[in-house]
Amino acid sequence: MKRKVQQLAKSLYEETKQRFPAIQFINIQEHPEQADRFWINVAGELSEEEQDSMRMFVGRKATDILIHDGYSFAVMLDNSLVEI
């Protein structure tokens, strides 16, 4: 994974974590079918309202990244990915 992608993903995660402190980083995953698209997998206990708010927040930030840098990101809340 390119250094630029890692920097952008880290920055997006940190901004999201600041706004939604209940989330925890799991990993960054390349989209299996789309080039230059990445998932930032996180876990956390968020209400449906908080999840909606996080999707809106990330959508705005990710759109800015796509326009300026050409990489597409999504923050994916998935508690099944947590290692026990």
Side-chain angles (χ1 to χ4, degrees), residues 13 16-24 46:
Y13 169 74
T16 306
K17 171 78 173 169
Q18 199 169 41
R19 179 108 180 228
F20 303 92
I23 65 170
Q24 297 298 319
L46 299 176

Side-chain angles (χ1 to χ4, degrees), residues 13-14 20 23-25 45 47 57 59 61 75 84:
Y13 169 74
E14 287 174 355
F20 303 92
I23 65 170
Q24 297 298 319
F25 178 80
E45 295 296 323
S47 68
F57 176 81
K61 299 288 183 183
V75 174
I84 299 174

Side-chain angles (χ1 to χ4, degrees), residues 4 8-9 11-12 15-16 19 36-37 55-74:
K4 181 70 173 177
L8 291 168
S11 177
L12 179 56
E15 287 183 60
T16 306
R19 179 108 180 228
D36 296 331
R37 180 156 174 77
R55 278 191 284 273
M56 297 278 289
F57 176 81
V58 170
R60 287 190 298 271
K61 299 288 183 183
T63 299
D64 290 343
I65 293 170
L66 180 60
I67 290 168
H68 293 108
D69 299 287
Y71 296 105
S72 176
F73 289 95

Side-chain angles (χ1 to χ4, degrees), residues 26-53:
I26 298 172
N27 63 24
I28 303 169
Q29 177 182 355
E30 293 183 43
H31 191 285
E33 298 173 355
Q34 296 176 344
D36 296 331
R37 180 156 174 77
F38 302 88
W39 293 333
I40 303 168
N41 295 304
V42 300
E45 295 296 323
L46 299 176
S47 68
E48 286 186 37
E49 185 178 298
E50 290 171 316
Q51 289 179 41
D52 289 343
S53 182

